């Protein structure tokens, strides 16, 4: 399939900070002399004492050592809050949109400072100090951001645990990092449902399962009362009752950890990805500014959850470091109905909307209902993150949500990268639906074959990054060896992303998905994402997931799970049609061997399809599914097993 090219609109080009030449110039400069480039860019952050060192990084086997700005001192909270007080005290820092339609709050930078500093003083009373770990298990409310920033203010290392995780997952994470305090809420709200958070924390801590925990701080977000355990639990409002807002930010070294964020790997045990302070702040702030072509009066909405890296870098740290008005949304795009996103955009006059392909497809499945009741003409720019966006969804997002007037910035990055590494640049690049396009400044992506040989020109390959960048993860908490093993041992002296990618004739990158999701069918390499993309392009298909299974003749066969659009009959005729469709859309090599109708797909709570489970079912190994506790809805698995086709 040859790619359709969408030019950046003249409106974007007219004010964008980059054009094709200036992008090239700046990129070349960043590669030619990273030391000089990042020495200059580091100044976007306020330092208590300046750095003289800039880049001290080694990817050498046995000596993975990543340090940036190591002799500078700063405080991340100061950068997100205090430094804006002279110019932006009355500017809205956070717009909070509640789960219910008519619930919202506006918090100015002055109010943000007050709330964060008071809460930091509260944590201090509980004995939290520099270097301590604090777990945050909160709904999407402003207090979640206050909690993160308060930790940063004290130099405590936060570890946000997504509010959809189960008690076991909480306990694992708390124990791995030895957290002293858990900050939670009695309940959260999501899509009209109440989510019990405090009871989950109680379960996680029961039977002394988390010995490091000394205190639990509970925000009263709904009216429900839960019993507090004496000497352990305290209400948020009681904790801050007698605290004032005088709380000097702790002086932190650039390489002091800012947070730990757990992410899943190929093995069962979650990895505690560690990000430090200086380089992370420089890179989060810079990418947020350039990738979204930030303007002072933007109302910026990243619809992710603070439980994920996207929420860390692009709801809290990046935007607030840049003095941006950032919108936090408690709910889901489909509640009360699919018109919600558009209505929130209109209500708050959102100019930048950053969300995930899975959300786009959920809206797209309902036809044009998502666009009803809103004009969305305040929007200037759209962003996408989290998985490859299939061209069909891209085009729908562009045309229907963005009124064909806003560029779609498809940002490729990872928990481990801390910030965006590959994306189109407003003003500087055109857009190709499905392509993340070009590297950010200072990023050297390369494609290698399975032996690590660097491949040139238009080709497929494994995506590696040749050199360090400031917001790169420094280690895995307590397990530097696993850090090296996971990211620096498949290919020596480079960072291995775990993703596959294609570079086209124009040098643009197309992420094909995790390398373990790439199939080899009769010696032909096929991205599961490519096949899924072809399927989703069919009007009857709402969502599709493709996995491989061992096939006697072809090496791997193609097993497809399809969710049809509401109201469509999952008939035998449609099945035949879809097989034909994939053959013609993609290639006869990609002919599905099995297509199973899936009323629902097993997804993590962040919306990622858990292919591991689908693979097991496709391989007829459903008795060994492993851990399914992190699924949003574990019940979909049973029905998939019951109706499996490869028996
Ligand atoms: C930010 C985030 C990382 C993995 C990554 C890749 C996939 C993320 C993508 C994308 C294609 C994009 N991914 N963004 N694939 N295009 N724009 O999602 O971090 O949760 O750690 O996931 O997600 O496979 O390796 P994380």
């Amino acid at each position: 399939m040859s790619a359709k090219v969408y030019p950046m609109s003249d409106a974007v080009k007219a004010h964008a900070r980059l054009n094709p030449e200036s992008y090239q110039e700046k990129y070349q400069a960043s590669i030619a002399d990273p030391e000089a480039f990042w020495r200059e860019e580091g100044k976007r952050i306020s330092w208590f004492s300046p750095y003289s060192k800039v880049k001290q990084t080694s990817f050498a086997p046995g000596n993975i050592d990543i340090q940036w700005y190591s002799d500078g001192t700063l405080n991340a909270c100061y950068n997100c809050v205090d430094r804006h007080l002279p110019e932006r005290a009355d500017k809205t820092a956070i717009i909070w949109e509640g789960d219910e339609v008519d619930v919202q709050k506006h918090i100015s930078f002055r109010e943000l400072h007050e709330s964060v500093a008071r809460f930091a003083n509260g944590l201090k009373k509980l004995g939290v100090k520099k270097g301590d770990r604090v777990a945050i298990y909160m709904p999407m409310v402003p207090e979640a951001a206050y909690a993160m920033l308060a930790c940063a203010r004290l130099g405590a290392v936060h570890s946000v645990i997504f509010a959809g995780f189960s008690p076991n997952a909480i306990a694992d994470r708390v124990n791995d990092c030895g957290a002293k305090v858990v900050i939670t809420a009695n309940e959260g709200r999501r899509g009209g449902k109440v989510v019990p958070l405090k009871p989950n924390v109680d379960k996680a801590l029961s039977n002394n399962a988390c010995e490091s925990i000394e205190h639990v701080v509970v925000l009263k977000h709904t009216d429900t009362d839960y019993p507090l355990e004496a000497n352990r639990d305290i209400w948020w409002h009681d904790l801050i009752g007698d605290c004032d807002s005088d709380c000097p930010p702790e002086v932190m070294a650039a390489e002091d950890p800012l947070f730990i964020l757990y992410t899943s790997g190929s093995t069962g045990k979650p990895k505690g990805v560690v990000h430090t302070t200086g380089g992370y702040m420089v890179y989060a702030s810079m990418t947020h500014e350039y990738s979204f072509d930030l303007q002072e009066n933007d109302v910026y909405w990243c619809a992710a959850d603070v439980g994920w890296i996207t929420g860390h870098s692009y709801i809290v740290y990046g935007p607030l470091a840049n003095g941006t008005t950032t919108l936090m949304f408690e709910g889901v795009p489909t509640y009360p109905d699919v018109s919600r996103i558009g209505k929130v955009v209109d209500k708050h006059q959102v100019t930048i909307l950053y969300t995930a392909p899975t959300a786009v497809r959920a809206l797209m499945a309902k036809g044009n209902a998502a666009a009803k009741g809103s004009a969305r003409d305040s929007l200037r720019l759209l962003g996408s993150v989290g998985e490859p966006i299939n061209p069909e969804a891209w085009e729908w997002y562009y045309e229907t949500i963005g009124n064909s007037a806003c560029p779609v910035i498809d940002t490729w990055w990872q928990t481990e990268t801390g910030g965006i590494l590959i994306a189109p640049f407003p003003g500087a690049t055109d857009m190709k639906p499905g392509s993340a396009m070009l590297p950010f400044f200072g990023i050297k992506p390369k494609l290698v074959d399975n032996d690590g040989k660097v491949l040139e020109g238009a080709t497929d390959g494994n995506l590696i990054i040749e050199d360090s960048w400031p917001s790169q993860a420094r280690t895995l908490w307590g397990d530097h060896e696993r850090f090296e093993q996971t990211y620096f041992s498949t290919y020596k002296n480079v960072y291995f992303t775990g993703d596959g990618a294609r570079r086209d004739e124009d040098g643009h990158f197309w992420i094909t998905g995790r390398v373990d999701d790439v199939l080899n069918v009769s010696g032909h390499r096929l991205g599961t994402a490519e096949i899924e993309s072809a399927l989703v392009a069919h009007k009857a298909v709402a969502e599709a997931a493709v996995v491989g299974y061992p096939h006697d003749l072809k090496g791997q066969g193609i097993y497809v799970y399809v969710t049809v659009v509401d109201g469509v009959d999952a008939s035998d005729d449609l099945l035949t049609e879809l097989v034909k469709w994939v053959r013609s859309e993609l290639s006869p090599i990609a002919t599905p061997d099995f297509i199973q109708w899936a009323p629902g797909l097993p997804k993590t709570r962040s919306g990622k399809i858990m292919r591991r489970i689908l693979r097991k079912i496709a391989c007829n190994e459903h008795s060994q599914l492993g851990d399914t506790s992190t699924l949003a809805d574990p019940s979909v698995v049973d029905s998939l097993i019951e109706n499996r086709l490869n028996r």
Side-chain angles (χ1 to χ4, degrees), residues 361-396:
R361 288 194 301 265
L363 301 185
M364 188 171 79
K366 307 281 177 188
N368 279 342
K372 294 242 167 73
S374 64
R376 288 156 281 96
D377 48 8
S378 56
L379 284 174
R380 207 183 76 235
L381 196 141
L382 301 172
S384 174
V385 60
E387 49 178 321
I389 182 163
N390 48 296
E392 180 83 350
W394 193 104
E395 278 163 13
W396 185 88

Side-chain angles (χ1 to χ4, degrees), residues 309 385-388 410-415 499 511 514 608:
I309 190 67
V385 60
E387 49 178 321
D410 178 6
T411 64
W412 173 82
W413 58 294
Q414 311 175 299
T415 303
D499 278 320
I511 310 298
R514 302 297 300 191
K608 285 199 172 66

Side-chain angles (χ1 to χ4, degrees), residues 516-519 521 528-529 531-532 544-550 556-561 592-594 609-619:
D516 36 15
D517 290 332
V518 173
L519 308 180
V521 181
T528 51
I531 307 172
E532 288 164 9
V546 173
V547 297
Y549 70 96
Q556 268 186 311
I558 299 173
Y559 196 113
V560 177
Y561 298 85
D593 296 277
F594 292 113
I609 296 170
M610 278 182 96
R611 289 198 169 64
R612 179 172 64 79
I613 290 175
L614 294 177
R615 232 178 267 130
K616 288 280 182 200
I617 298 174
C619 297

